[in-house]
Amino acid sequence: MSFRTPGLGDQTYLFTHEGKGVLVDPQRDIGRFLDAAAERDVDLRFVLETHLHNDYVSGGEQAALRTGAELVLPAAAAPAYKHTPAFHLEDIDGGAGLALRPIHTPGHTPEHTSYLVLIDGEPVALFSGGSLLVASAGRPDLLGPERARSLARLQHLSLRRLAGLPPGIALYPTHGEGSFCTATGAGRLTSTIGTERAGNPLLAVDDAEKFADALLAAPMPIPAFYRYMGPANTLGVPPMPPVRVPELDRPTGHVVDIRPRHVQARGMLPGSYGIELGDDFGSWAGWLLPHAEPITLVAEPGQDVGEAVTQLARIGIDTVRGVVRDLGETATQTYELLEPADFVKRLARRPGAQLLDVRMPSEREQIRLAGAVERFLPDLFAQGIPEELDPERPLLVVCASGRRAAIAAGLLAREGYRPIVLTGAGATELAAALREHAAA
């Protein structure tokens, strides 16, 4: 069975054979995996890690400690805690006809290792981690631009090594759609070797240098918190913190408002970060806030704060001090939300209106908004507000859904701007609506 974590674009797997379990690439909140194993009366025999992850804190060590399972990592990873090193093509015997065959597949990281599952000597499944993905491959540039081309060449060799396996083998990658660890847009979550051999565009590139060019041509941004994940997974991390946090009368540290955007728009605490709770809450909070500094959450009565704490802990942020649920008269920072029709009217008819596009560069290349000032959301926080934007004039903000635009609005409002957010639609709908308005 698989466990999808949509906000990080990752999959964890629990493979069972004759009552014995193999857990692959678990995230830090291991309770969901161990509960599933217990419900099925599975004895967890192995915990496998394909690489030292850059996008989340691993739960591998803690899962092994809790269950007595054997923790297996690539031999070249050499983490600072007890484990069994996996060497290339040296089978690990699981008993009852089960064997795990490590295959060294460097490229996403230097130590990366995939695991071929054999039952009674027959290969049946491949856990490919961040090597061969569905219609894609793991990106090779997370360790810095200096090593990216060398790792891309290694990824070329690794993908061909895996593509040479029997076509009927099921493919189970860790990274998938929504992950910033993919070199190009990954599609479905699972596949087969034969399907990828026939349709993965990267396997059609024979030359290693051309392959590297393809992987490195238009790299996706790297979330700021990634730089902390590799070291944490090398040295080891403590168990998950409690997900219940104290109720506070007043906030301390960085204030993160997780309420729905329509509630935030009516009033936020000045200076707070407005990141409404959703699948990718933790990723945006980890990208935009200083790492691991004290945090107070602002939530509505009855809102699930535990989910926010869990998402933050998955990326190594254990510093939530508590939650405030009543801002009273202090909620003075506001912004405006508009549906598409009203947004277009405001942009087209109001003199001096400005448009800010906070999507990724790759998104903007597909659909450009004429006259928009362009700055990717994390760059807005890291580099500041573009100088050409005038705080005295209305500022309309757009992304692909309204989520990132609403996050930007909190920053803009606290800097004295009057942000107006397109909600309920994105840049595609806006571009079409503007064309219709111009033709009317």
Side-chain angles (χ1 to χ4, degrees):
M1 66 182 300
S2 63
F3 304 81
R4 175 86 172 144
T5 307
L8 295 172
D10 288 324
Q11 294 269 111
T12 294
Y13 299 97
L14 177 62
F15 170 78
T16 62
H17 174 69
E18 300 291 338
K20 304 294 183 182
V22 179
L23 185 63
V24 184
D25 285 343
Q27 297 183 336
R28 192 182 182 193
D29 51 323
I30 59 175
R32 53 182 170 151
F33 316 130
L34 302 189
D35 288 347
E39 289 170 3
R40 291 158 178 77
D41 197 25
V42 172
D43 177 22
L44 197 61
R45 177 69 179 82
F46 295 102
V47 178
L48 307 182
E49 296 281 12
T50 57
H51 59 295
L52 295 173
H53 305 282
N54 289 290
D55 55 334
Y56 63 85
V57 171
S58 169
E61 181 191 14
Q62 294 300 324
L65 290 172
R66 282 265 300 271
T67 63
E70 187 174 348
L71 176 63
V72 180
L73 279 93
Y81 41 87
K82 183 179 179 181
H83 67 286
T84 296
F87 292 94
H88 179 59
L89 298 184
E90 292 190 8
D91 289 1
I92 300 170
D93 183 14
L98 170 66
L100 305 172
R101 179 169 296 168
I103 303 176
H104 188 209
T105 45
H108 184 48
T109 63
E111 81 285 351
H112 191 284
T113 296
S114 302
Y115 297 93
L116 183 64
V117 178
L118 300 99
I119 303 295
D120 297 328
E122 293 296 321
V124 296
L126 178 74
F127 293 105
S128 60
S131 186
L132 179 62
L133 309 181
V134 178
S136 185
R139 62 190 295 183
D141 61 333
L142 294 179
L143 301 185
E146 299 83 4
R147 303 175 70 183
R149 181 160 286 270
S150 290
L151 285 168
R153 295 189 194 102
L154 289 171
Q155 189 72 299
H156 176 261
L157 296 172
S158 293
L159 262 61
R160 269 142 190 77
R161 171 176 282 170
L162 297 181
L165 294 171
I169 292 175
L171 177 69
Y172 298 107
T174 298
H175 302 312
E177 185 176 10
S179 172
F180 279 90
C181 284
T182 64
T184 58
R188 302 178 315 280
L189 302 179
T190 62
S191 185
T192 67
I193 295 296
T195 300
E196 294 310 300
R197 193 186 299 170
N200 190 320
L202 293 175
L203 288 175
V205 184
D206 293 329
D207 182 77
E209 294 302 328
K210 292 181 179 178
F211 178 90
D213 291 341
L215 254 63
L216 301 173
M220 294 175 68
I222 300 175
F225 66 87
Y226 273 30
R227 75 188 69 164
Y228 305 103
M229 300 299 96
N233 289 323
T234 301
L235 298 177
V237 294
M240 278 279 292
V243 298
R244 296 189 65 178
V245 295
E247 303 273 340
L248 304 176
D249 294 328
R250 61 176 61 89
T252 60
H254 300 283
V255 180
V256 182
D257 194 325
I258 68 173
R259 299 174 300 166
R261 74 186 73 158
H262 70 273
V263 179
Q264 293 177 9
R266 295 197 297 264
M268 296 169 58
L269 189 69
S272 58
Y273 293 78
I275 310 174
E276 63 180 327
L277 185 60
D279 287 339
D280 58 355
F281 162 78
S283 293
W284 285 119
W287 202 332
L288 302 178
L289 273 72
H291 188 72
E293 293 187 6
I295 290 173
T296 296
L297 301 175
V298 173
E300 289 198 289
Q303 193 173 9
D304 185 5
V305 174
E307 173 63 19
V309 175
T310 296
Q311 289 193 34
L312 291 171
R314 283 178 185 149
I315 57 172
I317 299 176
D318 298 351
T319 51
V320 179
R321 298 294 185 248
V323 57
V324 173
R325 296 188 185 271
D326 183 8
L327 294 178
E329 297 181 356
T330 63
T332 58
Q333 180 177 296
T334 64
Y335 61 89
E336 190 174 355
L337 292 171
L338 287 181
E339 297 292 329
D342 292 330
F343 191 90
V344 171
K345 290 177 183 177
R346 187 75 63 92
L347 182 61
R349 296 177 182 173
R350 185 156 183 173
Q354 308 165 100
L355 181 62
L356 174 64
D357 184 348
V358 297
R359 294 175 298 152
M360 283 194 300
S362 59
E363 295 173 281
R364 298 196 299 260
E365 289 175 5
Q366 296 176 9
I367 299 174
R368 277 235 139 72
L369 299 173
V373 175
E374 300 173 339
R375 181 154 293 183
F376 182 37
L377 176 63
D379 295 336
L380 189 70
F381 279 76
Q383 301 171 12
I385 300 169
E387 293 182 357
E388 58 264 45
L389 295 177
D390 183 356
E392 300 301 320
R393 296 158 53 197
L395 178 56
L396 291 95
V397 192
V398 65
C399 63
S401 67
R403 178 162 178 74
R404 287 171 291 179
I407 297 172
L411 171 64
L412 293 163
R414 80 182 188 215
E415 296 297 326
Y417 290 78
R418 292 177 289 158
I420 302 163
V421 171
L422 173 60
T423 191
T428 302
E429 294 84 353
L430 177 60
L434 287 172
R435 288 193 296 269
E436 290 178 7
H437 182 83

